[in-house]
Amino acid sequence: MIRPAADPDRQSVGADRPDLRMVPLAAACWAGTWLGTGGAHGLQLLAVTFAVVVAAGTAFGVTRRTRGVRSTCGPRLRRPWGPSAVALLLLAAVAVGGAAEHRLTTGPVSELAAARAVATVDLTIRSDPQVHPPAGSRPAFLTLRAVADRVEGRGAAWRIRAPVLVTVSGDEVHRWSRVLVGTRVVVQGRLQRPDPGSEVAAVVRIRGPMRVTAPPPPTLQLVERVRAGLRQSVAGRSDEPRALVPALVLGDTSAMTAEITEDFRTTGLVHLTAVSGANLTLLLAFLLLMARWLGVRGRWLRVVGLLAVVVFVALCRTEPSVLRAAAMGLVALAALGAGGARSGLRTLSVAMVALLLVDPYLSRSIGFALSVLASGGIVWWASRWASILHAWLPRLVAESVAVPLAAHLATLPVVAAISEQVSVVGVLANAIAGPLVGPATVLGFAAAGLSLVSSTAATVAGFGAAWSAQGIVWIAHAGARFPGASWHWPVTPTSLLVLGVGSVVAGGLMPMLLSRRWLSVLLAMALVAGVRSPLQPGWPPPAWVLVVCDVGQGDGLVLRVADGQAMVVDVGPDPVSMRRCLDDLGVRYVPVLMLTHFHSDHVDGLPAVFDGRKVGEVWVSPWASPPAAADRVRAEASRRAASVRAPAPGEAGQVGEVSWRVLGPVGEHRSSVEDGESAAENDASLVVMVTVRGVRILLTGDVEPPGQEAIVASGADLRADVLKLPHHGSGNQDPGFLAASGARVAIASAGTDNDYGHPAPRTIRLVQSLGMTLMRTDEDGSVAVASDAGQLSVTAQRRR
């Protein structure tokens, strides 16, 4: 008797082979929802056409193959429905995404936003307030997400349910910062259109005070009590662990300082402070390992994991990012059960499809991409790596190292695309910090729960969580201090592809590395001893005299004094980019640090200059406003034993190859008792003419037209070869001041796609009409001016 051949469709995937059959479906769903929510009707039509053609072609091919075929043994022909399923899911995803976009872009809220109407809105708060600190001339403001239940405007009222983004500024920020999730309020505000793909129907800019109509429901009040209990359990610890524990457990980064955030970003540990699938997976891995150690087996392990996910969602609230993280955590939980890593990618793909169809806007979320990649990396690599490490490490340590290591390597290309940098010490930092993440998170959750029963027990658990968190902070600080701890990485398709391929290759080589103890230790020592920033060919030019650093929307300039020495003028808003610039230039000693005025986009990068470098003296604006920023600068300088003074107009001096004369500010400036940002503070900027190797450079801070006119009227010699455009090239310029400089080169220090439109088109036209060559850091990156044998040259760090 002839037995029929085994049906390939019924063959099970080998025990050691990962099941990849759902991956194309997940990719098609992701692409379809991304197209559907983007409003690009041409691309949507193209995707729909492609899906229909593929589905029809597949069905036609199957029909032709089966026509006229008869078999008593039943159908045994392979039916290639895979391409058809991918095409149909793509079609469905485009439809779902398009429908979601249609709901947000139509209706009364969208119509009022299009008209920029003022309306009265009933809101239910859905997220914790996020306070954004002041930056440059922009004051502090607050944002949160809410659901609009009712809107009244333009003589009509509607009962609706539309997600909105609320923004608050001015005196109301303090009151809104204390509002709890679930609170119902009535506000008056101006409705505006949101950015494309932002998953809200409108932006509500609050005008006037809010009126609370209902407190949060009892369940949310209980959650808030537990969250407050966690914060109280670590209240007696030092500042850094007190800030990190809520971030690890709840994703609450409100107490994280700029220095901690910067060091976490530099060392690739920043993912630990977000509510993400990777973070929940770390928690589950540690919790299940402890449960197995206590004798829990079989289905009870899954019960423990499921309870952990439920508690996680309850404490972090049912926001989209939390639900996304919970789904990714459940994927990891499923992978730990039957099938393990073999079925993990299939489970991950199913979770992706479900999440994307429920919330199509996740396709445009960076957080979703990070969660998917981190979970995929953990499923694909972590189990095998942990088994290899277990040969020479305890199981607890092996899994604690393997899980964050896999997550870091898998997310490397996306993190580089966001930050434009690659953490060289990230692999080592994640491996060392890994064993501390689980205890800090688990003990933090324990402290939160125990706070409802006993404050003493919660404090004991909080003590353990804080000590584990302190170890993570020390690792971040130590890793960030290595020269070249993070490298600038250009964000181009080619560079990201190279990084992605490199991550995959590194993941493939990791088993060989981890199986050899001596090789692992040797590589770790090499990373510690040999980390250096890679040299970019031609950067900096050998005869540079001035470098305007690319620090985003701010100023950060470096003037060459001697080899390894430089005068620094302003330090930008971000220590990371300023530190990278100074490291690239090899600056070790700063005899003079000049801060033209105290706005945050000129002084917040201060740690980059003081950490690892000696500073002689600090020059500041004569007007100490905003007071809080001025006090912070003076306190930091005092701590570093650097003298602080405000030079007067007409004062001249020289150090090394740099000589200078102070030209402004001209006139008296009154003291301010307001911690605010204003044109008067800009006008109090130090204006200095600097000469380096015969090149005259006019440094202008953010001086406004009244201050520019006063300097011209004073009769100061403004002739210069290079002009640093005042106030990042804003539209407020005195043509006489710019013309008096007669500069050949004008440089605008501005951030890419900044909200202010700097440099302004009319300023660009003015500069070009005066015959100046314009360079701009938002397009050119850092800009270097060099002088060689009297010849002036300008070099951009990146090509436009």
Side-chain angles (χ1 to χ4, degrees):
M1 180 177 180
I2 300 176
R3 297 183 180 276
D7 186 350
D9 285 341
R10 296 178 180 271
Q11 291 179 356
S12 62
V13 180
D16 296 328
R17 293 179 56 195
D19 188 350
L20 303 178
R21 289 174 294 179
M22 285 294 296
V23 173
L25 293 173
C29 190
W30 198 339
T33 50
W34 186 87
L35 288 172
T37 55
H41 300 298
L43 290 175
Q44 292 175 13
L45 181 60
L46 181 63
V48 169
T49 303
F50 169 78
V52 171
V53 169
V54 171
T58 304
F60 179 71
V62 171
T63 301
R64 290 194 61 186
R65 290 183 61 187
T66 57
R67 184 179 299 161
V69 177
R70 298 180 62 185
S71 172
T72 58
C73 297
R76 292 291 181 245
L77 293 173
R78 181 177 180 85
R79 300 187 178 186
W81 286 106
S84 182
V86 170
L88 290 174
L89 187 56
L90 175 64
L91 185 64
V94 171
V96 170
E101 180 71 6
H102 179 74
R103 285 195 301 270
L104 286 183
T105 55
T106 58
V109 173
S110 298
E111 292 172 3
L112 291 171
R116 295 177 59 85
V118 175
T120 301
V121 189
D122 291 18
L123 298 174
T124 302
I125 307 303
R126 290 301 187 206
S127 72
D128 289 313
Q130 296 291 321
V131 178
H132 305 267
S137 58
R138 185 198 68 198
F141 69 100
L142 175 147
T143 60
L144 56 80
R145 289 183 176 262
V147 173
D149 302 309
R150 182 180 180 275
V151 62
E152 180 179 349
R154 297 292 173 95
W158 299 268
R159 285 284 179 186
I160 55 172
R161 188 168 181 80
V164 296
L165 177 68
V166 178
T167 66
V168 185
S169 58
D171 297 336
E172 286 293 306
V173 169
H174 178 67
R175 185 184 180 196
W176 277 84
S177 65
R178 294 176 294 174
V179 69
L180 301 180
V181 173
T183 304
R184 294 178 179 269
V185 300
V186 176
V187 298
Q188 187 180 63
R190 183 178 295 279
L191 273 59
Q192 297 179 356
R193 280 182 169 172
D195 294 332
S198 57
E199 202 180 352
V200 294
V203 176
V204 183
R205 298 193 179 279
I206 301 301
R207 298 162 61 96
M210 67 172 169
R211 178 168 59 88
V212 177
T213 58
T219 52
L220 290 179
Q221 292 186 37
L222 177 62
V223 168
E224 189 57 40
R225 279 184 57 198
V226 175
R227 292 167 67 94
L230 171 63
R231 290 188 288 267
Q232 184 61 35
S233 71
V234 294
R237 312 277 71 83
S238 59
D239 292 344
E240 291 181 332
R242 186 170 68 236
L244 183 57
V245 170
L248 290 171
V249 178
L250 307 172
D252 178 7
T253 59
S254 58
M256 294 276 286
T257 64
E259 183 179 5
I260 300 176
T261 303
E262 171 208 346
D263 288 350
F264 269 57
R265 187 185 301 116
T266 301
T267 53
L269 296 172
V270 71
H271 64 90
L272 298 177
T273 63
V275 179
S276 68
N279 206 22
L280 179 57
T281 302
L282 293 173
L283 169 65
L284 287 173
F286 183 84
L287 198 59
L288 293 177
L289 189 65
M290 293 299 296
R292 283 197 296 265
W293 183 71
L294 291 173
V296 180
R297 293 293 185 272
R299 68 182 62 180
W300 293 107
L301 278 175
R302 295 194 178 192
V303 172
V304 171
L306 189 59
L307 287 174
V309 172
V310 171
V311 173
F312 174 83
V313 172
L315 287 181
C316 298
R317 303 197 183 99
T318 55
E319 299 176 14
S321 61
V322 177
L323 296 177
R324 178 197 70 218
M328 297 298 107
L330 287 171
V331 167
L333 180 61
L336 290 171
R342 180 180 64 81
S343 62
L345 289 180
R346 182 182 64 206
T347 309
L348 174 62
S349 299
V350 171
M352 288 173 59
V353 171
L355 286 171
L356 289 166
L357 293 179
V358 170
D359 185 1
Y361 282 95
L362 286 176
S363 61
R364 295 180 171 271
S365 167
I366 294 296
F368 178 73
L370 288 173
S371 280
V372 168
L373 290 174
S375 300
I378 291 168
V379 166
W380 186 268
W381 285 323
S383 179
R384 184 184 177 196
W385 293 358
S387 298
I388 294 172
L389 284 170
H390 187 42
W392 55 280
L393 285 175
R395 168 64 68 177
L396 177 63
V397 177
E399 291 195 1
S400 298
V401 169
V403 170
L405 195 58
H408 171 73
L409 204 57
T411 58
L412 198 56
V414 175
V415 172
I418 301 169
S419 62
E420 297 189 15
Q421 65 182 25
V422 172
S423 176
V424 180
V425 298
V427 172
L428 184 60
N430 274 272
I432 298 175
L436 298 173
V437 176
T441 309
V442 172
L443 289 172
F445 270 108
L450 289 171
S451 66
L452 296 175
V453 181
S454 168
S455 59
T456 302
T459 301
V460 172
F463 178 82
W467 265 107
S468 300
Q470 182 66 75
I472 300 171
V473 172
W474 285 336
I475 292 167
H477 288 336
R481 295 304 174 267
F482 287 118
S486 62
W487 294 351
H488 174 70
W489 195 265
V491 181
T492 65
T494 302
S495 64
L496 294 179
L497 178 62
V498 168
L499 192 59
V501 172
S503 298
V504 172
V505 171
L509 296 176
M510 197 63 70
M512 179 189 69
L513 170 68
L514 298 179
S515 62
R516 294 165 174 81
R517 183 188 315 183
W518 64 270
L519 190 56
S520 301
V521 174
L522 187 63
L523 181 60
M525 293 175 62
L527 283 173
V528 171
V531 168
R532 293 292 185 272
S533 295
L535 297 177
Q536 177 180 334
W539 184 264
W544 69 273
V545 295
L546 164 71
V547 171
V548 180
C549 301
D550 180 12
V551 293
Q553 184 62 18
D555 276 4
L557 298 88
V558 185
L559 298 145
R560 184 178 192 139
V561 170
D563 288 342
Q565 302 181 29
M567 177 179 179
V568 176
V569 180
D570 291 331
V571 291
D574 177 18
V576 174
S577 51
M578 193 66 202
R579 176 180 288 123
R580 181 168 58 235
C581 185
L582 292 172
D583 288 345
D584 288 346
L585 299 174
V587 176
R588 301 181 300 275
Y589 174 53
V590 180
V592 177
L593 168 61
M594 184 173 80
L595 303 175
T596 59
H597 60 301
F598 293 103
H599 283 176
S600 60
D601 58 335
H602 293 252
V603 302
D604 277 4
L606 199 60
V609 182
F610 279 118
D611 292 348
R613 273 170 275 269
K614 179 174 174 56
V615 177
E617 60 181 10
V618 181
W619 293 0
V620 296
S621 166
W623 193 11
S625 180
D631 292 343
R632 188 169 66 250
V633 167
R634 293 182 182 277
E636 184 68 14
S638 175
R639 191 166 71 89
R640 307 293 181 134
S643 61
V644 179
R645 67 188 188 90
E651 183 174 331
Q654 181 171 353
V655 55
E657 298 179 331
V658 179
S659 61
W660 65 84
R661 179 174 294 276
V662 180
L663 307 180
V666 174
E668 295 295 328
H669 292 273
R670 60 181 177 82
S671 298
S672 171
V673 295
E674 299 177 359
D675 191 3
E677 315 273 349
S678 67
E681 291 165 343
N682 287 337
D683 254 348
S685 295
L686 291 175
V687 178
V688 182
M689 179 66 74
V690 176
T691 303
V692 189
R693 292 186 187 173
V695 179
R696 289 172 61 88
I697 305 166
L698 180 56
L699 306 177
T700 58
D702 281 357
V703 64
E704 299 281 354
Q708 297 173 22
E709 294 169 2
I711 293 174
V712 172
S714 72
D717 183 3
L718 296 177
R719 291 173 300 167
D721 299 298
V722 179
L723 167 67
K724 201 289 294 184
L725 282 175
H727 202 180
H728 321 293
S730 76
N732 295 324
Q733 305 291 341
D734 174 38
F737 179 81
L738 301 190
S741 72
R744 297 151 61 186
V745 177
I747 304 176
S749 180
T752 303
D753 298 326
N754 64 85
D755 296 335
Y756 310 99
H758 295 163
R762 62 179 174 181
T763 300
I764 294 174
R765 291 192 295 270
L766 174 60
V767 166
Q768 292 172 341
S769 70
L770 294 172
M772 301 180 190
T773 297
L774 176 65
M775 304 296 291
R776 43 193 295 182
T777 58
D778 61 329
E779 294 184 353
D780 299 312
S782 297
V783 176
V785 176
S787 177
D788 189 8
Q791 296 295 316
L792 191 69
S793 64
V794 181
T795 303
Q797 191 175 26
R798 66 171 182 254
R799 294 181 179 179
R800 294 190 184 181

